Amino acid sequence: MAKPLVAFLTDFGTRDHYVGVLTGVVMSINPDATLIEQSRDCGEKVQAALEEVARKYPGRGREVYFVTHSMGGLIVRQMYLDHREKGDALDQAFRDLKVVVQVAPPNQGS
């Protein structure tokens, strides 16, 4: 079975407890999950984290889940548009994508 990769993309910031709560919930459901937690300054950090996971576990099948809040939903959408068919770590993550959970994305503006 593939080891799931879960990326939290939020605008909670580093002082909020919500990302810690989400981490606890995911780890209680699947302690083997690999987590990438990013707040506010996502973009390149998410790609770097995905590249690191790919280096650590070469050739391993995986499932990718993005959990987003607010602006994170727009960020994951833009990352998809910017990286599809580029052959980089984000492109591969989107090929392995199982689910994107968007909580309160400002799809119609703020």
Side-chain angles (χ1 to χ4, degrees):
M1 178 182 221
K3 184 176 177 181
L5 176 78
V6 180
F8 296 132
L9 305 179
T10 74
D11 60 352
F12 286 138
T14 57
R15 294 183 183 196
D16 280 313
H17 69 283
Y18 299 112
V19 173
V21 170
L22 288 171
T23 299
V25 169
V26 168
M27 297 310 288
S28 71
I29 294 169
N30 189 338
D32 292 328
T34 300
L35 298 178
I36 300 172
E37 301 171 23
Q38 298 297 328
S39 299
R40 298 186 186 273
D41 51 350
C42 294
E44 295 84 23
K45 287 186 176 184
V46 171
Q47 180 164 347
L50 288 168
E51 288 169 352
E52 182 179 343
V53 168
R55 276 192 304 275
K56 284 183 178 180
Y57 309 102
R60 183 192 69 189
R62 66 178 180 189
E63 298 174 346
V64 176
Y65 300 82
F66 284 101
V67 180
T68 69
H69 175 262
S70 189
M71 191 65 152
L74 302 181
I75 291 169
V76 77
R77 184 179 310 145
Q78 191 61 50
M79 285 190 316
Y80 170 75
L81 293 173
D82 290 347
H83 292 273
R84 64 182 172 185
E85 299 180 15
K86 280 193 170 182
D88 61 10
L90 281 173
D91 176 40
Q92 187 58 51
F94 284 111
R95 291 171 194 253
D96 296 337
L97 186 66
K98 292 288 277 186
V99 174
V100 175
V101 177
Q102 294 184 320
V103 179
N107 289 324
Q108 303 298 319
S110 57

